[in-house]
Amino acid sequence: MKPAVAMLLLAGLALAACQREERDTRPQSALGSGEQPTPVTALEPGGQRPSPTDNKAASFEANAFHLSEGKRLFGWFNCSGCHANGGGGMGPALMDEKWIYGSSMESIHATIRDGRPNGMPSFRDKIPDDQIWELAAFVRSLSGNAPSSAAPSRNDDMMAHPSENRMPDAATLGKSP
Amino acid sequence: MKRLASIAFATAIALSLQGCSGWQSALDPKGPAASELAWLIWFFTGLCAVVWVLVMVALAMPLMMRSRQRAEPLVLDAGADNRKLRVVMTAVGLTAVILVGLTLVSFFANRTLAAIGSDVALTIRVTGHQWWWEVRYEDATPSRILTTANEIHIPAGEPVRLLLTSTDVIHSFWVPSLSGKLDLIPGHMNVLDIKADKPGVYRGQCAEFCGAQHANMGTFVIAEPRAKFDAWWNDQLQPAAAPMSDEAKAGENLFLKRPCVMCHKIGGTPAGGTVAPDLTHVASRQTLAAGTLTMSRGNLAAWIADPQGVKPGSHMPVVDLSGDELNAIVAYLEGLK
C-alpha cells in the first residue's frame, strides 16, 4: 500500500513540470502605442512623474519568450548598426551599467518609441508596441538585469572560441589516435 | 456477418487508398526521383509480403498437420533428417540472397537518384525560416537573381538543383510527388536535385518538426513549360506594379509608414526588409503564409488583421490598424500581381 501512495505522490509532483511559460503573442488591447503616458524626462510639470500605466514592463521583463523575441528583433531591425551587439559604437553601449535616460523598462521603451537626442531615431508607428516592449526587455537583459534562467544566450559566432563540439578533442590534442 | 465485415474492411482500405493520389503523395510520383522511390517501396513491400506469407505458411503447416508417429522412435531415419536440413539450409540461403539483393536494389536506386542532377539547368537556393520558405533563383547575371517566397517555379522536364539551408532551426524539404525529403540545416548547405516530368502543381511540406507552426509550413512546386517559366521569371524581375486607385495609393503610403516596411521588401519602393517574405509580386502567388490561406482579398485582410489568430506564434506581429487603413493596405497588396 505504502509504495503505491508514494508512487502517486511522485506522479503528482511530476505534473508540476507540465507548467509551461505563457507565450503572449497577441497584444492585450488594440490600443495604439501613442496612448501610454511614458515619461521621457524627469522634469515634469509639478515635479511628479506620472506612474506607468502599462503592466507589460512587469510581464515582459523576466519572460524567456519575450526576451528571445527581443533578441531576434534586435538583429532584424539592425540595432547593431549603431549599438554593435550591445558593445556600443556610434551609439552608446548597452551592456554596461550606465543608463543616460534611466534603466527602467519604461525608460528604455520610451527611448525606442520616441527616440533621443543625438541620433537615436523614433520607432513610433514603425514597430508595434508589444515588440518595443520585447526590445526593451532584451536591452535591459544585456547588462545582466534579467534572470539567467530567462535571458537568451549569446550567439555562437560571438564566442571567443568555437563551441565545444567543434573544438579539437582535448585528450588527443586534435590528432586522430 | 463475417462476409459483410470483410467487405466493409476491403471498401475502407480501397477508400483510404484514394488519399494516396493527388498533389502531395509519394505513391503518385510525377518525377524520376519519386518514381524510383515509389518503385523501390512497392518492390520492398511486395517482396517482404511474399516472404511473410511463406513464413506464416511454414509456421502454420506443422500446427495443422498431425505428426506421423514413428513406428520405432529410436531408429535413425537419415532420409527425413537430411530433408529437414536441406529445407532449413535453403531457407537460410534464400534469406541471404534476398537481403543482398535488396541492398543492391537500394544501391542502384540511389545511383539513379544521384544521376538526375548530372546536367542541371537551374540552381535555386531554398532557405527555411520559421515558418516559411525563402526561394532565390541564381543566375550568372546579378540583375537576374530573383528572390521570392513559398512558391518554387521550375521548368518541367528539366533537372533543377536546390541548395537547402536554414537560418534558425532544422527544417526538411519534402515534395512527395517529386522526390524524397532532405533537411535544411543552419550553417550547412544540402543539395537536392528534382525534376518534374510534366507541368503541374505539387505540394510540399516541412518534414522536420520546427516549432509551433511546423504544420503550416507548406510550399508549392509549380512546374511549367520552359517558355512559360522564362516569362514568369521576367515578370517577377519587374518592380512592383504602381498602385492604380486612390485607395491603393493610400495603402502604399501606409505600408511604408507602418511596421510592414520594417521586415518586408517591395521592389521599386523604399521597402527593403529581407527578414520576411518578399511582397513585390505577392498577389501572383496562390497562397498566403506558406500555404496556410488561399490568396484572396478577404484572406489578405484576415492575415494582416490577426496573424496570431491565423498562425499563432508566427513572427508576423499584430499591427494596430484602423479598418480603413487595413482596407487600403489590402487594396495595395492585392494589386501586386
Side-chain angles (χ1 to χ4, degrees):
Chain A
M1 197 61 208
K2 247 187 172 169
V5 174
M7 282 298 286
L8 262 176
L9 262 174
L10 261 176
L13 279 175
L15 276 178
C18 298
Q19 211 255 330
R20 196 164 163 251
E21 193 180 67
E22 291 288 325
R23 290 193 171 190
D24 178 20
T25 59
R26 247 169 170 170
Q28 280 147 357
S29 75
L31 198 73
S33 58
E35 307 299 322
Q36 296 124 7
T38 306
V40 291
T41 164
L43 300 169
E44 294 289 340
Q48 199 68 41
R49 273 174 171 234
S51 61
T53 53
D54 206 297
N55 63 352
K56 284 196 179 135
S59 65
F60 278 37
E61 204 169 9
N63 183 294
F65 173 68
H66 289 309
L67 283 168
S68 73
E69 289 289 286
K71 181 183 171 184
R72 181 172 59 74
L73 296 173
F74 192 89
W76 278 17
F77 296 159
N78 194 26
C79 305
S80 292
C82 297
H83 296 287
N85 289 312
M90 208 194 298
L94 305 174
M95 51 206 279
D96 55 11
E97 270 302 325
K98 283 184 201 145
W99 298 93
I100 305 173
Y101 297 101
S103 67
S104 71
M105 280 278 283
E106 287 83 2
S107 309
I108 302 169
H109 174 269
T111 300
I112 301 171
R113 194 189 64 189
D114 301 329
R116 296 288 186 192
N118 297 328
M120 178 74 192
S122 156
F123 289 92
R124 181 193 291 268
D125 286 343
K126 284 285 195 291
I127 305 179
D129 197 47
D130 270 30
Q131 275 65 35
I132 298 183
W133 282 111
E134 283 171 346
L135 277 165
F138 173 66
V139 167
R140 237 180 92 74
S141 80
L142 280 173
S143 48
N145 279 313
S148 60
S149 58
S153 55
R154 181 184 288 189
N155 280 353
D156 279 358
D157 60 347
M158 303 261 303
M159 294 290 183
H161 55 75
S163 53
E164 210 167 297
N165 58 339
R166 296 188 181 197
M167 292 279 277
D169 187 0
T172 59
L173 295 172
K175 289 184 189 118
S176 48
Chain B
M1 193 60 214
K2 223 174 180 180
R3 204 193 163 100
L4 251 176
S6 62
I7 288 174
F9 184 67
T11 319
I13 287 200
L15 277 176
S16 68
L17 277 176
Q18 289 272 300
C20 298
S21 64
W23 67 355
Q24 185 183 329
S25 169
L27 299 179
D28 187 17
K30 303 286 188 199
S35 308
E36 193 66 28
L37 290 171
W39 177 85
L40 196 65
I41 188 71
W42 282 123
F43 182 76
F44 264 67
T45 311
L47 190 65
C48 292
V50 169
V51 171
W52 182 79
V53 167
L54 287 178
V55 169
M56 284 299 132
V57 168
L59 278 175
M61 258 175 13
L63 295 175
M64 309 295 248
M65 287 194 305
R66 188 148 302 173
S67 59
R68 279 178 290 113
Q69 285 288 325
R70 281 188 190 181
E72 204 62 58
L74 293 177
V75 172
L76 288 173
D77 180 353
D81 286 350
N82 274 340
R83 201 163 58 240
K84 274 182 199 160
L85 187 71
R86 271 203 300 277
V87 168
V88 169
M89 290 316 284
T90 313
V92 169
L94 270 177
T95 306
V97 168
I98 288 174
L99 283 180
V100 171
L102 287 181
T103 310
L104 282 175
V105 166
S106 169
F107 170 75
F108 284 110
N110 251 332
R111 280 176 62 99
T112 317
L113 293 190
I116 290 169
S118 52
D119 54 338
V120 286
L122 175 68
T123 304
I124 304 173
R125 267 168 208 272
V126 178
T127 309
H129 298 276
Q130 281 177 325
W131 289 277
W132 60 283
W133 311 84
E134 183 185 337
V135 186
R136 200 175 107 128
Y137 295 76
E138 298 288 0
D139 198 281
T141 319
S143 64
R144 282 191 58 80
I145 293 175
L146 167 68
T147 305
T148 170
N150 296 332
E151 264 178 26
I152 305 172
H153 287 245
I154 59 169
E158 291 178 42
V160 175
R161 174 153 294 171
L162 301 181
L163 303 177
L164 307 172
T165 188
S166 163
T167 52
D168 34 44
V169 298
I170 299 178
H171 304 277
S172 188
F173 182 85
W174 191 29
V175 183
S177 303
L178 295 183
S179 83
K181 53 183 100 160
L182 193 63
D183 280 4
L184 292 82
I185 300 168
H188 178 82
M189 184 83 76
N190 272 340
V191 180
L192 179 69
D193 297 319
I194 61 168
K195 184 176 160 185
D197 289 331
K198 271 183 251 162
V201 179
Y202 310 109
R203 196 183 185 282
Q205 172 68 37
C206 180
E208 176 74 43
F209 182 71
C210 58
Q213 290 302 325
H214 163 64
N216 281 327
M217 188 169 164
T219 181
F220 291 89
V221 173
I222 299 170
E224 296 163 324
R226 185 75 203 194
K228 210 175 158 199
F229 170 76
D230 285 337
W232 171 84
W233 191 336
N234 287 329
D235 276 353
Q236 296 281 313
L237 284 170
Q238 300 303 314
M244 301 301 278
S245 65
D246 284 346
E247 194 184 30
K249 270 179 201 145
E252 186 186 26
N253 267 329
L254 279 165
F255 188 96
L256 297 174
K257 272 198 218 143
R258 308 309 294 274
C260 323
V261 71
M262 295 293 281
C263 300
H264 291 286
K265 178 183 172 179
I266 293 185
T269 74
T274 54
V275 293
D278 188 307
L279 301 181
T280 309
H281 297 281
V282 63
S284 74
R285 302 204 274 266
Q286 297 182 355
T287 60
L288 266 172
T292 310
L293 299 169
T294 51
M295 180 63 68
S296 71
R297 182 169 180 145
N299 280 342
L300 261 173
W303 172 239
I304 298 167
D306 189 16
Q308 297 303 324
V310 175
K311 209 167 164 177
S314 75
H315 293 326
M316 171 100 167
V318 178
V319 175
D320 185 35
L321 295 168
S322 73
D324 287 344
E325 290 173 328
L326 177 66
N327 258 326
I329 289 179
V330 171
Y332 171 55
L333 292 178
E334 192 190 30
L336 300 179
K337 289 270 190 315

